[in-house]
Amino acid sequence: MHDMSASVSLAVTHLVPLAKEVDENKVTPGVLGFIVFAVLALAVWGLMKSMNKHMQKVDFKEAPDHEDRAGTDATAGRG
């Protein structure tokens, strides 16, 4: 088995020149992009928290509708 420190130093020597070759004319999101992303993430978190709060108030159990059942049974017996 070969020495790990040799392979790590080899990787670092190849990556350091790549870091220096960053083109300064390229557009990057920067601080403004991070702030916009953070605000959007907080807004989505707030909306999901609010939706969860409202969904807990919803009652999914339906009450039996006695009038509707009696009406359909009566019309089914006539035909």
Side-chain angles (χ1 to χ4, degrees):
M1 195 176 259
H2 62 279
D3 189 20
M4 288 293 285
S5 62
S7 60
V8 169
S9 65
L10 181 64
V12 169
T13 56
H14 285 294
L15 291 177
V16 169
L18 290 176
K20 291 180 182 178
E21 293 177 8
V22 174
D23 188 9
E24 294 182 6
N25 294 326
K26 287 186 178 178
V27 177
T28 60
V31 177
L32 181 62
F34 174 75
I35 292 171
V36 169
F37 181 78
V39 167
L40 287 173
L42 286 172
V44 168
W45 176 77
L47 286 171
M48 289 183 67
K49 191 169 175 109
S50 175
M51 182 187 69
N52 191 22
K53 183 178 171 183
H54 286 284
M55 290 298 286
Q56 288 178 353
K57 292 180 183 179
V58 175
D59 184 19
F60 289 108
K61 296 178 184 175
E62 293 184 17
D65 193 7
H66 296 291
E67 286 182 12
D68 194 25
R69 285 189 180 171
T72 56
D73 291 340
T75 55
R78 290 184 191 168

